[in-house]
Amino acid sequence: MVTKGRSVKNPLAAFDGQSLITPTAVNREVFPSGAPADERQLRIARDELTLILQVASQQIQADRSPDQIIDRLIRSLHESREKYRAVWPDLIPMVQDHPVAAYFHNDPFTRWSFEKPRGYSGDASLIDFIYGHPDIAADVERASPLGRTLYEYTRNAPSAVAVRERRDLLTRTVDETAAKVGPETEVLAVAAGHLREAETSRALREGGIKRWVALDQDPLSVGRTMRDFNGTPIDAMDGSVRGLLKNAYSLRQFDLIYAAGLYDYLADKVAVKLTQTCLSMLKPGGMFLFANFSTEVPDDGYMETMMNWTLLLRSQSEMWSIIEASLEGQPAEKNVFFGANRNIIYGTIRKP
Ligand SMILES: C[S@@+](CC[C@H](N)C(=O)[O-])C[C@H]1O[C@@H](n2cnc3c(N)ncnc32)[C@H](O)[C@@H]1O
């Protein structure tokens, strides 16, 4: 069974790459509206949050270290989110509108996420801040000394550490597939972003891959991938989840298909449909891998407020639900596992 409360009536209309991924849209999925907010609980929560933000302001005025200030705020927002989950969406604007937010927006990574220069959440350049990629070095350089100190903290938060591990896991998975299959290996990355995992792929370097399709809905990211990997078997293409679901591209079959940084925006029904589509595009023995931020992310409250970046966090059982609903009883080798710090969770399905 797919988790209740997150299903959508028309899976193609939700987070489909045509309609942009906005925090409002994701919020609707993460915090489905049920009963009207409990006014009393909302008042208590607002008072507590006011206090949390006041303490941060006082710490700033007292010139406490930025590490200490942000560390405490991240913890407090996480606790408040847990405690006041039912009214949390009503609290997010309150944090964002508080004058103390300007302090945290000195961090170029937090600011990029909040301002969304590409018009949607989680664009590939935002992820480049996590990777510490040379492409965003100038933005970091331009930040104030305070901004750079905060960035050092945010880029080393557990969720960011997990994203770097995810990139390395993808590189390893592609290389292992190529080692097994040989030079005829064909790979598809869905929502590929800048395909940073390819930069260190040994198989790619040594001619072990025939075709590596990098599909993304953002033409700017596709252009950058084309430029960076010009003359390699990497084929960057403009394409969306919606296009895949409608079978709009003639992509043929792959040995490995993966999606990282995408399922966190997909409601369950779309996630299942996409998984089924990807399974139908696998060769016999081929593997599908998808990643999702887990429910154990400690900086969720900070991300949703200061970064205006809401994600659909999933538990182990929710990952299994997607796998089982996608397979509809068909046999396959399947697995769900956490990364080292449990902030990202992975699902794999191997076709017989
Ligand atoms: C968080 S980034 C992840 C990029 C890359 N996979 C990584 O791990 O670094 C998410 C990417 O998904 C792409 N994306 C979002 N919705 C999409 C959709 N419906 N179809 C195709 N790509 C999508 C965005 O353009 C963005 O490049």
Side-chain angles (χ1 to χ4, degrees), residues 15-17 21 120 122 127 131 166 191-193 216-218 239-241 260-261:
F15 315 130
D16 54 15
I21 296 164
Y120 63 93
I127 311 306
Y131 296 146
R166 182 181 76 190
D216 201 280
Q217 57 89 35
D218 187 331
S240 67
V241 169

Side-chain angles (χ1 to χ4, degrees), residues 86-325:
V87 292
W88 182 249
D90 297 297
L91 301 171
I92 293 175
M94 180 188 154
V95 180
Q96 292 172 342
D97 293 342
H98 194 279
V100 85
Y103 176 86
F104 298 97
H105 290 162
N106 276 288
D107 166 17
F109 172 40
T110 299
R111 194 173 58 242
W112 186 285
S113 178
F114 189 78
E115 289 178 350
K116 308 198 187 307
R118 299 272 181 90
Y120 63 93
S121 290
D123 67 277
S125 293
L126 179 76
I127 311 306
D128 278 349
F129 280 98
I130 296 178
Y131 296 146
H133 197 273
D135 272 7
I136 50 82
D139 294 86
V140 176
E141 207 45 50
R142 269 196 301 274
S144 63
L146 167 64
R148 287 198 292 273
T149 306
L150 288 170
Y151 172 56
E152 246 344 272
Y153 185 97
T154 52
R155 74 176 291 263
N156 287 306
S159 55
V161 171
V163 169
R164 290 194 287 277
E165 182 193 46
R166 182 181 76 190
R167 175 201 54 197
D168 297 343
L169 181 142
L170 295 178
T171 311
R172 221 169 38 244
T173 307
V174 170
D175 284 356
E176 282 166 10
T177 304
K180 211 167 92 187
V181 176
E184 290 303 300
T185 300
E186 297 179 276
V187 179
L188 169 64
V190 183
H194 294 150
L195 204 78
R196 297 302 186 201
E197 61 274 19
E199 291 179 354
T200 52
S201 164
R202 192 178 162 161
L204 182 69
R205 221 172 32 243
E206 296 180 354
I209 291 175
K210 180 179 165 196
R211 182 166 75 112
W212 190 340
V213 177
L215 177 142
D216 201 280
Q217 57 89 35
D218 187 331
L220 276 181
S221 296
V222 173
R224 179 158 303 182
T225 308
M226 266 180 192
R227 184 200 69 191
D228 288 354
F229 295 103
N230 186 25
T232 74
I234 288 170
D235 176 11
M237 67 169 279
D238 263 315
S240 67
V241 169
R242 172 183 271 219
L244 282 173
L245 297 186
K246 288 166 81 181
N247 205 8
Y249 320 112
S250 305
L251 289 174
R252 303 189 306 279
Q253 305 289 107
F254 296 90
D255 300 286
L256 171 69
I257 302 178
Y258 64 86
L262 175 67
Y263 275 62
D264 321 81
Y265 305 97
L266 301 182
D268 287 339
K269 269 197 183 169
V270 192
V272 169
K273 285 226 170 266
L274 178 62
T275 306
Q276 288 176 329
T277 302
C278 290
L279 290 176
S280 74
M281 295 166 70
L282 282 178
K283 298 178 195 173
M287 185 171 84
F288 176 62
L289 179 149
F290 64 108
N292 210 112
F293 276 104
S294 86
T295 45
E296 298 185 27
V297 168
D299 36 350
D300 45 5
Y302 181 88
M303 288 168 75
E304 288 164 0
T305 55
M306 296 302 178
M307 303 183 91
N308 202 19
W309 187 12
T310 304
L311 298 166
L312 269 165
L313 309 174
R314 286 196 164 95
S315 65
Q316 229 165 339
S317 68
E318 288 169 326
M319 295 292 278
W320 276 118
S321 291
I322 291 174
I323 292 176
E324 297 303 349

Side-chain angles (χ1 to χ4, degrees), residues 3-54:
T3 326
K4 276 192 186 149
R6 283 201 194 150
S7 61
V8 284
K9 284 210 179 75
N10 178 3
L12 288 183
F15 315 130
D16 54 15
Q18 317 280 333
S19 47
L20 293 175
I21 296 164
T22 61
T24 317
V26 184
N27 270 334
R28 267 203 301 275
E29 298 302 326
V30 178
F31 307 104
S33 62
D38 174 341
E39 282 306 319
R40 191 172 158 272
Q41 200 191 22
L42 192 55
R43 232 182 6 258
I44 298 171
R46 281 212 173 107
D47 287 349
E48 192 174 307
L49 218 51
T50 303
L51 207 65
I52 289 169
L53 298 168
Q54 254 169 20

